[in-house]
Amino acid sequence: MTIAPARPAAPAQETTSGPFGASIPRREDLRLAAGDGRYLDDIGHQALAAAFLRSPHAHARVRDIDVSGALEVDGLVAVYTYEDLDGRVAEPLPLLIPHPSLHAPRTAYPLANGIVRHVGEPVVMVVARDRYLAEDAVDRVIVDWEPLPAVVGLPAAFEARHAVHADVPDNVAAHMVQTVGDAPAAIGAAPYTMDLTLEIERSASMPLEGKGVLARWDADDRSLRVYSSTQTSTSVRFALAAKLDLPVDRVEVVTPDVGGGFGVKIVHPWPEEVLVAWAALRLGREVKWVEDRREHFISSAHERGQLHTVKVGFDADGHILGLDVRFLHDNGAYIPYGIIVPIISSTQLLGPYKLGAYRVEFHSMYTNTVIVTPYRGAGRPHGVFVMERVMDALADRLGLDRAEVRRRNMIGPDEMPYDQGMIFQDGRPLIYDTGDFPETLRRALAMVDWSGFQAVRDAARAEGRRVGIGVAAYVEGTGVGPYEGAHVRVDTTGDVVVATGLTTQGQGHETAFAQIAAQELGVPVERVKVTTGDTRRFKYGVGTFASRAAVMSGNAVAAAAGKVRAKALRIAAQALGADLTELVLSDGEIAVRGFGPDGPRIALATVAVLANPLRYAFDEEAKRATQFAGPPSDGPPVPEGEEPGLEATGWYSPIRTTFANGAHAVIVETDPETAEIRILRYCVVHDCGRMINPMIVEGQVHGGVAQGVGGALYERMVYDPDGQLLNASFMDFLMPYASEVPHIEIDHLASPSPLNPLGVKGIGEAGLIPGHAVIASAVEDAEGFRIDRMPISPSELFDLRRRHAAGEVPPLHRSSKEGREDIG
Amino acid sequence: MAEATHPVELTVNGIPHTLAVPARRLLADSLRHDLGLTGTHLGCEHGVCGACTVLLDGEPVRSCLLFTVTVDGQEVTTMEGCRAADGGLGPVQRAFRECHGLQCGFCTPGFVTTVTAYLRDNPDPTAEEAREAIGGNLCRCTGYQNIVASVQRAAEILRAEARRAPRGDDRARDERGGAEAKPAPRAEAS
Amino acid sequence: MKPPVFAYHRPASLDEALATLADLGGDAKVLAGGQSLVPVLNMRLAAPAALVDINKLAELSFVHTHDHLVRVGALARHARTERDEAAFAALPLLRQATRQVAHPTIRNRGTTVGSIVHADPAAEMPAVLLLCGGSVELASAVGDGQRGTASGRREVAAADFFLGPLDSDVRPGELAVAASFPVPTGRCGSAWLEVSRRAGDYALCGVGVLAALDADSRVRRLLAAYISVGPTPVLVDLTEAVAGQVFDAADLSSAAALAQARIEPDDDIHATADYRRHLAGVLTRRAAAEALARAGEA
């Protein structure tokens, strides 16, 4: 069986009517595909360059810093240590998301204040004429270190022989318990119980473009403009204004084109964001910092391991009566982003299932490693891995089909909306709104031909080949609040200008949001210009993360466009002397229904002019508008309750998260000799409600699946016991090339969301969420023994095989002579 | 004590330039900052990701692993050089757009230059061949599905263009010393 | 990740290159392909005082095949070596192995000889040279600062050339100008197989095999070279395990066991020593079968 060849995608359709739901080619590609993007390092060519001396030790005291050597480097402009920092810049970086269970939060200083807690922590900042010289200067700085014992890995953290923070001797940053019913009792009373220990190591966002900051202080204007490769310019603005003690109105943050984020760029303010802006102010010069790849590995963020101890009680039919999960979560040296990741693991672990009772407890632990913050999936992959391994284990124990066990535990469509009885990461109840989980699963199984697999397995075996099939289902909370907003304006040129506060890292927002506005306003998509992530254009927002942009800004754009549409119709009705109900808005014009092409009509551009009664006519459109002036009225030119201009601001603030769902099914082949693992088929069924642009949606799924494959089979951050990151380069941190990513087959379901007017749900993370789970399921099926730890490499599989052959790893029940999987 | 600079003559996208650069200046940085051609991107600076790939005398190379001084006298084609004559999207770039072969766009220049050279020598690849052709470039966004499709779509577009204007071929010269002639693209009957 | 300062020399002739290297002494590195050197410099893992750029020495970019020898000049890019039809006809192993070197874009710039001199234990070319019983030609300027014809020449056999990981027998002032690969005679076949994590990555284990049959299609010689299983490539003569056996019924398991006994791999973050040893056995069987089959067709 060969990997199915990729079909060339059908060329995207150009369409000028009903753009919502169409796979139109992206507006931003006219720029990006031409190589005309403006990423952070493409701007600010005259800026000074910053570089950092970063800790080579995982844990150490900084006894002395000698910068004299650096001062001799030609082109050096400034060297800064912690002692140079002033005001709030000298304070620890903020704790972005406090939580009652986060009882020992610790964040870093922008430059180490006498102590470093992970390899890569910034200690000295150098500013020089260019990056080459800045690095030369960094090399000349001599630091006198006193190494301290490093705490690496969850067992060491939990054992707590040494502490990452002296005042947190047990290394526990947070401890949280959530319960639904009485799981221990339910398990105690259950006819069957099982214990599992599961370990899942994740990876890191690793966008192709690292972080970067460019700061420009305008002394004449006393204003600061900062460009940052961030996922939240609106929030960076507030953070910097606070840190630098500037009025918020004097700070603007602009997101340039961003070369990927995947979560890592939501953290803010990074030390470098604060320091580069601060240096720009002090020096009165533009300062730019462009993170290099090594820096990204050792001073950005990862999302790493969780170690789960699970107890499950179930009945003979495979119904889960009680589930008790306890886990350790590695949050790295500091915890600026709070405990979002383990909370999401805890809550999304439930998946599309209804359990009898559930108890989940976690300890979030400090270690002397890079901080852990959300990476696409944000804790869901951990939770899904646990639940799906439990399902497979149950099925095997009872001799039931793995899909059947899932069906029996699944929430049915008639039970929706379903309240899981927990509080989600947004502080709101975890209530699944819409979705047909059994149908999603059924389609995935049909696509991969689950019931026909035994024949495939037999045929492969006859050829001496080993194959396995796996399945995993998940639920994903998307469109988390608190809100997003958008501003829509029709210019007198007829162009529609849209701005929203959140940001873009490749998701096609310039197109998707244009489609929404174009649909609402009846204009061609090409006339709509969208700006994201620029506080000069829109100041309020939260950011792009948690698969929320389409839901949040999509609905905000729709709301704003809706207001603009209503106003345009009102003005047009008056200008045309028609009734509102008689008007039709399409192709940039408002016409009276039933009159044909020569009937009364007015261009949207003209309406825009009329909306802003001016004494002066600046352009042709304005002159043309005078014919619609109408008879003079007694009222004010701008009526009560109205505003000048054909523009409006709209908001969307959800009562709670809307839930997408999906199921993946995978066929793998393992080489009986070399233990290499190859994915033969990768099938995805997902449901994200209504799709704005199906081509963009599929692209998001593709990218997520590739990261899921990477995370399951190739990517792992390897720390040695001293806290050195052993694979801090692309040579040894293995992101998949095209040869490692299989052809991906996708089917969609659409259960519109009842929680927002557009009926959309998020899709950004879907492709990734069940990756570890489904691949573990398939490899286990191929090999005949339990896979409890992911990721897995051929070397590790080889080792498991040997231990299995030696009797140390028990076989699956269905692999032994007596057992077999009763595929339904 | 400023660093010594060396004079370099470089033809980039058909335009000759004279630069004076330190020996250690990477070609990628010269293109981006000395010549303002920011279409070439730096993703790793150790040769693995491929975002910095440009054509040197027509062959794909990593511009993060080349010093500008080394390529004195040679011809470089960048992402900008893959545009159409009017500055719009060139055929390969158009294919990427049509097939949604880019999301954030950061890796795209490396793919476009690599694919441009590849299709010049292999005008009609199968999906398998297309996947192999892009096998040395990393993309974190697309999962490669649509990039494979873009390669084949680009091949289609180029063949159609060749049918319309069979003599309008301006491939970069192949100057490798002692090189074997590369197989000529199959000419399409017009 | 910008490289540190270095003095830069770009000789226009081989003589000039040798004179420059002689002047500079030990703290100079030769820049040919740079695909291994430049990442090291970008990461500031090394800071040589000077770089001698030989990329303008076009006379060194040859691949010559004659008299049962394939001779590859210092500036022949991997891509050049890979595509050379005469070399392929004489010694298919060269293309079989070169194809596995990184990715095509890297091969457009990196050089065969450069890879050999760099002596990475996971690199293919050193193993191919070792397997073929080849040698490296090193040139140096004569005497103290004398310009003139480069008459200092030294030829080092592959068996003596690789001293340790990233360490080869190139003395200060010397330039490797060519590598020679003897072409096996008679009914021969070859194969190169490796297992790597991703396509194009350094191998977890790789093996090149040369097989020779006698007139009765029995195994006359079976030779293998292994990469990533020790500080240098490992040459193992497998002949004793299969000598005299008919080529398509040879006891390859025995050959595999012999190989496994001879190598001493290490653990690293990508694979354990045990796994590498296991792969060596598997790949020996597979590569030997391929090589013998090709020899059988010869």
Side-chain angles (χ1 to χ4, degrees), chain A residues 28-113:
Chain A
E28 48 267 78
D29 289 353
L30 294 171
R31 178 176 86 251
L32 298 180
D36 200 24
R38 286 280 176 277
Y39 302 86
L40 196 287
D41 193 32
D42 299 341
I43 58 179
H45 287 288
Q46 305 308 317
L48 298 174
F52 291 85
L53 184 149
R54 298 180 182 279
S55 171
H57 297 287
H59 196 190
R61 252 186 273 282
V62 180
R63 283 214 290 246
D64 185 63
I65 304 176
D66 177 4
V67 304
S68 52
L71 298 175
E72 288 165 11
V73 171
D74 167 59
L76 179 88
V77 173
V79 187
Y80 303 109
T81 67
Y82 179 76
E83 264 128 43
D84 299 302
L85 305 184
D86 54 14
R88 295 210 189 88
V89 178
E91 292 169 5
L93 297 168
L95 172 63
L96 292 175
I97 309 173
H99 191 282
S101 296
L102 177 53
H103 62 265
R106 297 289 178 276
T107 61
Y109 289 92
L111 290 176
N113 179 11

Side-chain angles (χ1 to χ4, degrees), chain C residues 27-253:
Chain C
D27 196 12
K29 300 284 289 179
V30 171
L31 175 67
Q35 304 301 278
S36 301
L37 176 62
V38 181
V40 165
L41 295 181
N42 286 352
M43 294 192 221
R44 299 202 174 205
L45 294 173
L51 246 55
V52 178
D53 180 352
I54 64 167
N55 282 286
K56 296 306 181 197
L57 304 184
E59 70 263 36
L60 294 180
S61 63
F62 60 85
V63 178
H64 285 160
T65 303
H66 78 117
D67 278 355
H68 299 292
L69 201 68
V70 177
R71 199 161 159 266
V72 178
L75 214 50
R77 313 283 175 192
H78 290 296
R80 168 94 180 77
T81 306
E82 183 185 347
R83 288 189 192 128
D84 194 281
E85 291 299 339
F88 176 63
L91 187 61
L93 178 64
L94 259 183
R95 180 180 292 176
Q96 288 159 358
T98 303
R99 281 209 134 113
Q100 300 293 323
V101 173
H103 296 279
T105 301
I106 301 293
R107 300 203 288 274
N108 283 339
R109 193 70 192 168
T111 61
T112 302
V113 173
S115 175
I116 288 169
V117 168
H118 187 64
D120 191 315
E124 291 84 355
M125 291 296 104
V128 172
L129 191 74
L130 187 62
L131 183 58
C132 295
S135 59
V136 179
E137 250 172 85
L138 299 152
S140 56
V142 180
D144 314 80
Q146 262 182 302
R147 270 60 169 155
T149 52
S151 59
R153 291 263 166 166
R154 194 165 70 96
E155 186 127 6
V156 182
D160 302 320
F161 189 68
F162 305 107
L163 305 177
L166 307 181
D167 190 14
S168 59
D169 186 14
V170 179
R171 298 176 186 154
E174 278 188 328
L175 175 69
V177 292
S180 298
F181 299 82
V183 173
T185 50
R187 290 182 71 194
C188 302
S190 65
W192 181 279
L193 289 180
E194 60 182 72
V195 169
S196 59
R197 292 288 275 124
R198 299 172 301 183
D201 279 349
Y202 282 118
L204 300 180
C205 178
V207 59
V209 174
L210 277 177
L213 307 180
D214 63 21
D216 294 331
S217 297
R218 292 174 182 276
V219 181
R220 180 162 58 82
R221 203 175 62 136
L222 190 67
L223 209 55
Y226 297 83
I227 63 174
S228 299
V229 293
T232 57
V234 181
L235 183 67
V236 183
D237 191 336
L238 301 172
T239 310
E240 69 188 71
V242 290
Q245 297 171 19
V246 179
F247 79 99
D248 55 0
D251 181 5
L252 299 180
S253 298

Side-chain angles (χ1 to χ4, degrees), chain A residues 72-409:
Chain A
E72 288 165 11
V73 171
D74 167 59
L76 179 88
V77 173
V79 187
Y80 303 109
T81 67
Y82 179 76
E83 264 128 43
D84 299 302
L85 305 184
D86 54 14
R88 295 210 189 88
V89 178
E91 292 169 5
L93 297 168
L95 172 63
L96 292 175
I97 309 173
H99 191 282
S101 296
L102 177 53
H103 62 265
R106 297 289 178 276
T107 61
Y109 289 92
L111 290 176
N113 179 11
I115 188 160
V116 290
R117 294 192 176 84
H118 68 86
V119 169
E121 186 164 354
V123 182
V124 180
M125 177 165 80
V126 162
V127 180
R129 198 164 60 229
D130 69 38
R131 178 73 184 206
Y132 291 74
L133 299 170
E135 290 190 18
D136 291 345
V138 166
D139 278 354
R140 304 273 227 281
V141 174
I142 301 173
V143 180
D144 183 13
W145 307 97
E146 180 194 324
L148 299 168
V151 178
V152 181
L154 283 169
F158 199 69
E159 193 193 357
R161 220 158 11 107
H162 301 289
V164 175
H165 297 271
D167 56 352
V168 187
D170 62 359
N171 291 317
V172 179
H175 176 226
M176 186 169 182
V177 179
Q178 294 186 80
T179 59
V180 184
D182 187 345
I187 293 168
Y192 298 89
T193 63
M194 195 183 293
D195 290 289
L196 297 97
T197 300
L198 300 166
E199 203 174 323
I200 166 171
E201 184 77 21
R202 282 212 67 209
S203 174
S205 303
M206 211 52 64
L208 261 279
E209 184 203 22
K211 311 199 299 282
V213 194
L214 167 66
R216 187 184 301 156
W217 169 251
D218 184 334
D220 294 336
D221 200 48
R222 296 191 197 224
S223 63
L224 175 70
R225 187 185 304 166
V226 174
Y227 296 84
S228 182
S229 193
T230 179
Q231 290 172 224
T232 175
S233 43
T234 48
S235 224
V236 170
R237 175 170 175 255
F238 285 116
L240 291 182
K243 278 289 176 191
L244 299 171
D245 204 20
L246 292 170
V248 168
D249 286 342
R250 300 271 100 199
V251 178
E252 300 291 0
V253 177
V254 181
T255 315
D257 286 319
V258 174
F262 311 112
V264 70
K265 294 176 179 176
I266 193 59
V267 180
H268 66 284
W270 291 100
E272 299 85 1
E273 281 174 327
V274 174
L275 294 168
V276 166
W278 175 80
L281 253 127
R282 276 174 84 101
L283 296 171
R285 303 273 308 268
E286 267 192 315
V287 179
K288 180 164 65 164
W289 171 72
V290 178
E291 184 182 53
D292 67 33
R293 188 49 54 186
R294 177 164 170 79
E295 286 183 289
H296 190 81
F297 270 100
I298 62 175
S299 65
S300 282
H302 307 158
E303 201 195 280
R304 285 193 318 278
Q306 288 181 1
L307 180 54
H308 286 248
T309 311
V310 179
K311 207 173 184 63
V312 57
F314 52 105
D315 65 20
D317 293 326
H319 294 113
I320 294 181
L321 305 173
L323 184 67
D324 187 337
V325 176
R326 291 156 209 243
F327 69 95
L328 299 180
H329 172 82
D330 181 346
N331 62 245
Y334 303 103
I335 194 162
Y337 210 79
I339 48 174
I340 290 298
V341 170
I343 288 179
I344 292 177
S345 300
S346 304
T347 49
Q348 299 270 252
L349 190 149
L350 294 170
Y353 309 112
K354 49 187 187 225
L355 275 46
Y358 176 52
R359 180 184 186 281
V360 61
E361 174 179 2
F362 71 81
H363 289 82
S364 189
M365 313 295 300
Y366 286 113
T367 58
N368 286 113
T369 59
V370 166
I371 65 176
V372 168
T373 66
Y375 158 40
R376 202 177 198 178
R380 289 176 194 81
H382 303 79
V384 170
F385 179 70
V386 170
M387 179 55 92
E388 295 302 294
R389 300 283 66 230
V390 166
M391 286 294 171
D392 277 3
L394 280 191
D396 187 57
R397 175 73 180 75
L398 296 172
L400 293 173
D401 172 43
R402 287 171 284 162
E404 180 59 24
V405 161
R406 286 168 168 81
R407 271 193 291 270
R408 291 181 185 179
N409 283 284

Side-chain angles (χ1 to χ4, degrees), chain A residues 68 184 537 563:
Chain A
S68 52
R537 309 274 181 264
K563 290 185 193 174

